[in-house]
Amino acid sequence: MVELKRFRALVTSVAALLLAVTVTSCGGSSGGGGEEETGPVTLRFSWWGNAERAGLMQQALDLFHSKNPTITVTPSFQEFEAYWQKIATETAGGNAPDVLQTDFAYLREYADRRVLYDLKKQEGKNLDLGDLVDGLKGVGEIKGGLYGVPVGGNTWGFVYNPALYAQAGVPEPKLGWTWDDYRAGAKQITEKTGVFGSSNPIDTYYNLELRLRQEGGSLYTEEGGLGFDRARLAAFLAEGKKMADDKAALPVEKGVQIKPKHALESDLVAGSPAWDNFLDRYSKATKAELKIAPSPSDNPQVLGQYLKPALLLSVSQKSEHPAAAAKLVSFMINDPEVGKIFGANRGLPPTNAQRSAAQLTGPLAAVAAYEDGIKDKLGKTPPAPPKGAGSLEQAFIRINEELLYGRITVDQAVDQFFTEADETLGN
Amino acid sequence: MATVTPVRPVDATPPGAPGPRGARRRSGDGITGYFFLSPWMLGILLLTLGPMATSLYLSFTDYDLFDTPRWIGLDNYARMFQDQRWLRSVQVTALYVVLAVPVKLAVALAVALLLNSERKGQGLYRAAFYGPSLIGGSVSVAIVWKAMFSDDAAVDQVLRVFGVHTGGWSGNPDFSLLMLVLLATWQLGAPMVIFLAGLKQVPRELYEAAEVDGAGRWRRFASITLPMISPVVFFNLLMETINSFQVFTSAYVVGGPNGQPAGTTLFYTVYLFDRGFGDYRMGYASAMAWMLLLGVGLVTAFLFRSARGWVHYSGEKA
């Protein structure tokens, strides 16, 4: 009897399973029907971020729904790396979300592959770009089309711990300081305080870009090739290697162990080149009071920094509701309430209306003051990096790490980087 | 094993049901059998064989997830042998297999021998040694492991007591792989339990006879235990080798997609994943997957071949 009961239970559960499969597959096929734009619309919206940002996003989306009752937004979020894996697979499966957050380094890759919708078609209708701050106007444009709208801006800078500078008797960084000042100061701090003077500048691609821009060059050419030669890269890497040998910069093995945390968060260094809005994150992680200054430059005329779209919103080419999607994007960058909700979570807000609505306090107020102070020193934002720039940035970090571990020489590092650049940018 | 009760479905059929067993089996049972198998059959067809065939096809294309795949013949396979990172990943994985498999099996066997004797609370010990395997490939264990082997963390402090200064292993290219070997060894539960089962099967008389002949402990182990459990050793060797070639989670958590530090934890699977989902070179990643299958197949074939010389099955002539 027991056996028979079990058998029945099995049959019932198998039947239930089959039924469930049938029901869900039916649901899937009927969902994609093309409703009229006037009827209720459901948008899928994906972004990367953490739980804190998700909470803010939900507030903003609730507000959007209350103002546009016919549009429902289904949100989903991931961490940065997992996000790109997911977007890539969803796109390959023809199932990309209607609205998606994009990064400057990936924008061209996705635009070139005709994954993104040209928002020029909605500009002035459902998308209002008139109030964007000067540095962010037109940054999502590629070959005449508009593929991303910035929802926040940030710029490079030098984040430091003033107490350690004072302890070592090194003057605090300020506009006009040079790379020699930076290196000598870092060395002195390590010697006097026992805390390493700086993170190693060659661990970030943007430090190379900064140097090139200060010399009048750029990271990539207009045609999408590398904007520097082997000798320039070798000199840059040799400088970083020397800082490590002099103990002016944090040893690579220390930095590797604490990843994904930054050395400033673990009180391992007295300063580091960084994106300015990260001042907030670093300040929350450490007890030390941190400040931000402009980057060093050997060229007093050119600071080399620019306003970068911290992140952008794009609409999928395959979206069936581009008008509603554009409305959402427009709302996200223009609505003052949204500016108040996010503050500088995604970099400083992109429009004048949102900037004045955002009530910034503490480190975020410091970031706003910093950007205001160097406003007229900022250069033009470069065009979106070429396809493959994301991978190349990873290669840069990986190769320089091997250099700092002493596994390869500067020349070998340069060779490896140019080989990978040929492969990545060539295709 | 002791609780199995004989079940005869035929006896349970109501009177009047169709006749003898043989006839029934030929007509109805087959279809019913396939019906019950169907969820698994469908699963294998749709979720395993289908994707495998697709991946074989993609391995001959330049598929990048977005554009239509373009046939490029054997280019992906040829390119691997010039790809420095691919060669590195093969080295790292091979070194790991050569280190982790023998160490893990030796320790598992040693533990099994200890646990085989009659002692109070033996069940507790067995559970304790098996425990780490239950949480096996989880991300959290790898994170804890990485934290334990960082600067000034538990391992560093203990070693310092003995005057050994290595710093954190997770940032040191000379020790990073060793750290993963230790993680694998710590999770020795599965082979240990199988060894234990094998040890229980060895007839006691053999040991008694050997003792009478004056054989010492080591002699008994080498001449009785090892040959008697050699099929179990072979089975464990095979399973661990195949598993070690495919290690991913712990390596990815400790070293990330670049195999930090300095590429010393760039396992084959980690590189494969990075190629496919980081660089969007799905065609190349597919080719890598088939190359791995080929490599593991060759190693397995080699192990089977060598087994003829050292594995003794009972009932076989020595």
Side-chain angles (χ1 to χ4, degrees):
Chain A
M1 264 329 264
V2 175
E3 292 303 319
L4 199 63
K5 255 187 197 164
R6 264 197 208 156
F7 175 76
R8 272 197 196 140
L10 182 69
V11 170
T12 320
S13 49
V14 168
L17 192 70
L18 286 177
L19 194 68
V21 170
T22 328
V23 169
T24 44
S25 59
C26 286
S29 60
S30 67
E35 299 99 316
E36 290 291 301
E37 283 300 303
T38 48
V41 166
T42 302
L43 292 178
R44 285 169 56 227
F45 176 25
S46 295
W47 76 89
W48 72 83
N50 54 9
E52 186 193 357
R53 184 179 286 168
L56 302 176
M57 193 68 90
Q58 196 55 54
Q59 287 179 40
L61 291 178
D62 288 344
L63 190 66
F64 179 72
H65 187 62
S66 71
K67 291 188 177 177
N68 300 275
T70 58
I71 307 176
T72 312
V73 182
T74 324
S76 115
F77 76 100
Q78 259 85 34
E79 290 292 332
F80 185 77
E81 255 181 40
Y83 175 81
W84 289 105
Q85 290 153 11
K86 188 175 178 201
I87 290 292
T89 36
E90 280 185 345
T91 311
N95 193 28
D98 296 280
V99 181
L100 59 150
Q101 190 168 306
T102 42
D103 184 76
F104 207 40
Y106 284 88
L107 190 65
R108 190 181 296 268
E109 184 139 22
Y110 278 76
D112 275 3
R113 287 172 157 153
R114 295 176 302 282
V115 172
L116 303 179
Y117 176 82
D118 179 4
L119 283 164
K120 275 264 157 74
K121 294 181 210 158
Q122 298 289 339
E123 192 178 344
K125 283 183 268 178
N126 294 302
L127 180 61
D128 177 9
L129 299 173
D131 193 34
L132 279 178
V133 297
D134 282 343
L136 291 178
K137 278 196 171 118
V139 290
E141 282 184 25
I142 293 171
K143 293 179 200 146
L146 180 66
Y147 297 100
V149 174
V151 286
N154 53 10
T155 184
W156 205 237
F158 188 77
V159 176
Y160 65 99
N161 179 344
L164 288 169
Y165 269 75
Q167 194 188 329
V170 177
E172 287 187 27
K174 60 173 196 300
L175 191 66
W177 68 315
T178 66
W179 287 100
D180 278 338
D181 296 339
Y182 159 72
R183 281 188 294 263
K187 198 168 172 217
Q188 193 174 332
I189 290 171
T190 310
E191 281 161 8
K192 291 269 169 66
T193 68
V195 177
F196 289 96
S198 171
S199 63
N200 199 311
I202 67 171
D203 67 7
T204 315
Y205 212 20
Y206 295 104
N207 282 318
L208 176 60
E209 180 179 40
L210 179 72
R211 297 299 289 275
L212 294 169
R213 285 174 64 97
Q214 290 173 350
E215 294 157 10
S218 61
L219 198 52
Y220 296 106
T221 60
E222 290 282 328
E223 294 77 37
L226 290 180
F228 54 94
D229 59 11
R230 285 165 184 262
R232 185 65 195 89
L233 180 60
F236 178 72
L237 296 183
E239 261 174 37
K241 181 82 178 144
K242 181 157 190 309
M243 278 188 79
D245 293 343
D246 288 350
K247 301 226 174 342
L250 183 74
V252 60
E253 66 270 15
K254 303 256 181 210
V256 162
Q257 287 182 52
I258 56 164
K259 274 188 179 183
K261 271 167 80 180
H262 189 275
L264 279 168
E265 294 176 274
S266 303
D267 297 315
L268 288 176
V269 293
S272 174
W275 291 112
D276 61 359
N277 60 325
F278 279 70
L279 179 68
D280 183 44
R281 194 182 117 184
Y282 299 156
S283 299
K284 279 180 183 150
T286 171
K287 285 198 189 77
E289 178 224 2
L290 299 177
K291 284 166 92 171
I292 183 156
S295 304
S297 175
D298 290 342
N299 182 345
Q301 310 305 320
V302 184
L303 180 59
Q305 290 178 203
Y306 60 90
L307 200 58
K308 175 179 173 277
L311 30 96
L312 303 104
L313 285 181
S314 300
V315 172
S316 161
Q317 175 71 47
K318 290 229 168 101
S319 170
E320 287 166 14
H321 316 291
K327 258 185 206 164
L328 176 61
V329 174
S330 196
F331 174 80
M332 283 293 175
I333 63 164
N334 286 311
D335 195 281
E337 281 293 313
V338 174
K340 204 188 268 177
I341 291 170
F342 278 104
N345 179 284
R346 306 174 299 177
L348 289 183
T351 53
N352 294 312
Q354 287 195 346
R355 282 209 179 182
S356 46
Q359 291 147 353
L360 302 177
T361 54
L364 292 175
V367 173
Y370 163 70
E371 280 195 19
D372 203 47
I374 55 168
K375 205 163 48 184
D376 43 338
K377 293 271 176 193
L378 294 179
K380 194 175 172 317
T381 306
K387 187 168 144 185
S391 303
L392 203 55
E393 186 179 339
Q394 290 299 313
F396 181 86
I397 295 169
R398 163 165 48 80
I399 292 167
N400 294 344
E401 197 184 292
E402 294 212 26
L403 170 71
L404 292 174
Y405 268 116
R407 299 239 152 174
I408 52 174
T409 64
V410 168
D411 288 340
Q412 285 170 324
V414 171
D415 273 347
Q416 277 189 25
F417 181 80
F418 272 80
T419 308
E420 297 213 16
D422 277 347
E423 194 196 339
T424 312
L425 300 177
N427 289 0
Chain B
M1 280 303 215
T3 55
V4 173
T5 48
V7 178
R8 292 201 199 87
V10 177
D11 295 349
T13 45
R21 255 184 114 163
R24 254 176 68 94
R25 174 162 295 172
R26 216 162 294 134
S27 61
D29 277 7
I31 294 171
T32 319
Y34 282 115
F35 173 75
F36 279 105
L37 267 178
S38 61
W40 287 272
M41 297 284 274
L42 280 177
I44 285 177
L45 280 175
L46 296 177
L47 301 176
T48 307
L49 290 179
M52 272 179 80
T54 314
S55 121
L56 183 61
Y57 162 68
L58 289 177
S59 76
F60 297 108
T61 70
D62 67 348
Y63 185 48
D64 66 355
L65 273 182
F66 299 95
D67 304 315
T68 336
R70 195 167 53 92
W71 186 269
I72 54 168
L74 286 169
D75 272 17
N76 284 330
Y77 292 90
R79 205 181 301 170
M80 269 179 232
F81 295 95
Q82 283 144 35
D83 179 350
Q84 293 302 316
R85 292 186 77 204
W86 184 80
L87 294 170
R88 165 81 65 85
S89 75
V90 171
Q91 273 173 21
V92 168
T93 311
L95 184 60
Y96 175 79
V97 171
V98 169
L99 285 175
V101 174
V103 170
K104 181 173 181 178
L105 290 185
V107 177
L109 181 57
V111 172
L113 285 169
L114 284 176
L115 295 181
N116 193 29
S117 52
E118 295 300 330
R119 196 175 300 165
K120 235 184 174 182
Q122 200 64 294
L124 197 69
Y125 289 120
R126 274 176 211 162
F129 277 104
Y130 192 77
S133 304
L134 291 174
I135 41 177
S138 79
V139 171
S140 48
V141 170
I143 291 176
V144 170
W145 207 256
K146 186 180 179 185
M148 268 172 54
F149 283 89
S150 294
D151 275 345
D152 289 326
V155 175
D156 195 12
Q157 287 183 359
V158 170
L159 285 177
R160 227 177 293 165
V161 173
F162 298 102
V164 183
H165 298 275
T166 57
W169 289 20
S170 60
N172 188 332
D174 297 329
F175 289 97
S176 49
L177 196 65
L178 201 57
M179 174 181 138
L180 289 170
V181 170
L182 285 179
L183 175 57
T185 309
W186 179 59
Q187 299 174 330
L188 49 72
M192 185 267 287
V193 164
I194 297 172
F195 276 135
L196 204 52
L199 290 172
K200 298 257 178 228
Q201 302 289 322
V202 182
R204 292 210 150 199
E205 308 91 79
L206 294 179
Y207 292 111
E208 283 158 11
E211 242 168 291
V212 171
D213 289 345
R217 266 171 161 252
W218 171 250
R219 189 61 207 245
R220 271 179 276 154
F221 173 73
S223 300
I224 300 175
T225 313
L226 266 187
M228 287 303 286
I229 63 162
S230 59
V232 175
V233 175
F234 178 61
F235 175 80
N236 274 336
L237 178 67
L238 212 58
M239 296 310 283
E240 289 306 321
T241 307
I242 294 173
N243 283 338
S244 301
F245 270 110
Q246 299 176 43
V247 69
F248 176 79
T249 311
S250 52
Y252 193 81
V253 170
V254 168
N258 287 337
Q260 282 170 332
T264 50
T265 62
L266 185 70
F267 281 79
Y268 197 92
T269 48
V270 171
Y271 185 45
L272 192 159
F273 180 81
D274 188 39
R275 270 298 182 173
F277 292 93
D279 298 341
Y280 303 153
R281 290 172 189 266
M282 259 321 156
Y284 190 83
S286 303
M288 277 185 70
W290 282 91
M291 208 62 165
L292 177 64
L293 184 71
L294 196 69
V296 175
L298 283 177
V299 171
T300 311
F302 170 76
L303 288 178
F304 265 105
R305 199 136 233 272
S306 79
R308 288 184 203 160
W310 59 271
V311 179
H312 311 282
Y313 293 97
S314 55
E316 214 182 27
K317 275 187 187 155

